[in-house]
Amino acid sequence: MNEPLLRSLTPSVLGILVRRGADFAAAEDAVQDALVEAVRVWPDDPPRDAKGWLVTVAWRRFLDAARADAARRRREDLVDEEPAPGPAAAVDDSLQLYFLCAHPSLTPSSAVALTLRAVGGLTTRQIAEAYLVPEATMAQRISRAKRTVSGVRFDRPGDVATVLRVLYLVFNEGYSGDVDLAAEAIRLTRRLAASIDHPEVAGLLALMLLHHARRAARTAPDGGLVPLAEQDRGRWDTESITEGVRILQAALARDRLGEFQAQAAIAALHADAPTAGETDWVQIVEWYDELARLTDSPVVRLNRVVAVGEADGPRAGLAALAGLDDSLPRHTAVAAYLHERDGDLVTAARLYAEAARKAPNLAERDHLTRQAARLNARRRR
């Protein structure tokens, strides 16, 4: 069974059904039924035109459901409009589906789940496994999202920024189960970039590629986190880096800077350095200044503190840190790092231990705990 082919056809088939009059929720259910039927039938009887077959079967499933629903008896006159088997029109509705799935009335988690289901073609089980929640819970979340957007006009103008935010959330979820969400986010963003000419879409794709290029070097054999400065750069994916830099340069040349382009520029400077010691921290600080101007984000300002500490020394970094709210996530970990760089091992060890207690996940907690233990062992020698 050609699962990538089925996945790639899903948005276009779904779009055809919606344009023919099906509401989003009913169309999505009909397409899912058609995909299940394809998995059953195609191995023994593959169709000559896969897309036309899916459109025909999905449309029949939609009509069957419409006839069975008394509240939708008015849809029965659509029977005569059933498309004949054969080649379907080459129309790509992926872009409209992105905007529909990122509707502002949806919560971010619901928008992500709906995007993975409707545009990514993942099953409810796969999405549930990726998010480590029961399949029934994810099914309810997707059903609520479909009901929310079922009355939205398919041709409603969408917000590119919202779509990009949803894709960025998908990417940051990482991976678990049998679905690699980081790779899936890159695939979806590539499709969006092919559908819309927008520098921030290109910036997000570049950012994903540059971050993903370092993935193999981010964890040790025991599963522990490996900081950027300690990563084996020979394990970085140079092809992804080259592609990401090329896409970024083309986007920046359009002189319409956005936050994803600025983040990608920072990632590119890290990727360009042969060693950690050769990183151009002065330029990175300048890009963080641009990013802070664009977003006014406290988290961006905290990351800028680290860059200042590298460019101008740890005391300059600590001075910049003093102006930020100490309740920010990872504020304590940054303080620990800068104090260690400044030679204050006692304070650094105490702050690493404190940061470990506040860590948002087990891997980060273990890393910070080891940092504290390392400094305490140095002091005892």
Side-chain angles (χ1 to χ4, degrees):
M1 174 52 56
N2 193 335
E3 183 176 338
L5 173 62
L6 286 176
R7 183 183 296 178
S8 68
L9 291 174
T10 298
S12 185
V13 175
L14 178 56
I16 290 172
L17 266 64
V18 172
R19 289 204 320 280
R20 288 181 175 273
D23 67 52
F24 185 87
E28 206 274 345
D29 288 339
V31 172
Q32 291 299 321
D33 286 344
L35 294 176
V36 172
E37 185 69 5
V39 171
R40 186 182 71 82
V41 172
W42 286 11
D44 298 323
D45 186 20
R48 287 191 298 272
D49 175 40
K51 182 177 177 181
W53 190 98
L54 286 172
V55 169
T56 300
V57 173
W59 186 251
R60 287 172 177 165
R61 293 301 173 92
F62 163 69
L63 291 178
D64 288 343
R67 293 190 195 100
D69 187 346
R72 298 177 182 176
R73 291 187 186 278
R74 60 185 176 79
R75 298 182 184 271
E76 292 184 354
D77 62 345
L78 297 174
V79 173
D80 294 335
E81 298 178 20
E82 178 183 328
V91 177
D92 186 357
D93 293 301
S94 301
L95 182 56
Q96 292 96 322
L97 289 177
Y98 277 108
F99 291 128
L100 191 59
C101 293
H103 191 265
S105 62
L106 294 176
T107 64
S109 60
S110 294
V112 168
L114 190 59
T115 300
L116 289 172
R117 178 70 179 271
V119 187
L122 303 187
T123 66
T124 302
R125 179 187 61 80
Q126 288 174 317
I127 301 170
E129 286 184 354
Y131 278 88
L132 304 177
V133 299
E135 185 174 351
T137 300
M138 184 55 67
Q140 291 175 352
R141 183 181 301 175
I142 294 173
S143 294
R144 285 195 299 269
K146 288 192 291 184
R147 286 196 298 271
T148 299
V149 302
S150 62
V152 176
R153 286 181 59 82
F154 189 60
D155 59 355
R156 174 183 179 274
D159 177 14
V160 175
T162 301
V163 175
L164 295 182
R165 188 63 54 196
V166 168
L167 290 171
Y168 192 48
L169 286 171
V170 175
F171 181 79
N172 285 335
E173 288 296 331
Y175 65 100
S176 57
D178 62 357
V179 179
D180 184 339
L181 288 185
E184 183 66 14
I186 292 172
R187 187 184 74 85
L188 293 172
T189 307
R190 282 191 190 280
R191 292 183 59 186
L192 183 62
S195 302
I196 182 171
D197 184 18
H198 194 291
E200 271 293 82
V201 177
L204 178 59
L205 179 57
L207 176 64
M208 289 178 175
L209 290 169
L210 290 164
H211 278 316
H212 204 55
R214 302 200 299 261
R215 176 168 164 175
R218 283 201 181 107
T219 54
D222 63 359
L225 293 178
V226 180
L228 177 61
E230 300 172 19
Q231 288 177 14
D232 177 1
R233 298 183 179 221
R235 300 183 65 195
W236 289 1
D237 182 350
T238 55
E239 288 187 9
S240 291
I241 291 173
T242 300
E243 182 185 7
V245 169
R246 175 180 56 77
I247 293 171
L248 173 63
Q249 288 174 338
L252 292 175
R254 301 179 63 176
D255 199 24
R256 288 169 55 196
L257 184 64
E259 62 174 294
F260 290 119
Q261 294 170 74
Q263 288 188 59
I266 293 169
L269 285 167
H270 283 298
D272 188 53
T275 66
E278 296 173 85
T279 303
D280 190 343
W281 287 105
V282 173
Q283 265 205 80
I284 288 177
V285 171
E286 292 174 355
W287 275 111
Y288 270 123
D289 288 339
E290 288 287 348
L291 189 55
R293 179 183 61 80
L294 290 165
T295 65
D296 195 29
S297 166
V299 175
V300 168
R301 297 187 186 283
L302 182 62
N303 290 334
R304 178 185 178 278
V305 164
V306 177
V308 169
E310 298 291 348
D312 301 327
R315 294 195 178 181
L318 287 168
L321 184 65
L324 299 182
D325 185 349
D326 61 9
S327 66
L328 277 172
R330 299 184 174 87
H331 183 285
T332 307
V334 171
Y337 174 74
L338 292 172
H339 277 290
E340 179 184 357
R341 293 267 330 277
D342 195 38
D344 186 352
L345 303 189
V346 174
T347 300
R350 175 178 58 79
L351 290 172
Y352 274 130
E354 182 182 339
R357 292 191 292 271
K358 301 176 182 177
N361 56 66
L362 182 61
E364 193 169 329
R365 186 187 70 188
D366 289 347
H367 170 71
L368 292 167
T369 300
R370 285 196 294 269
Q371 295 295 87
R374 174 180 58 81
L375 293 187
N376 286 327
R378 281 181 58 186
R379 288 169 47 219
R380 287 193 292 268
R381 284 202 293 266

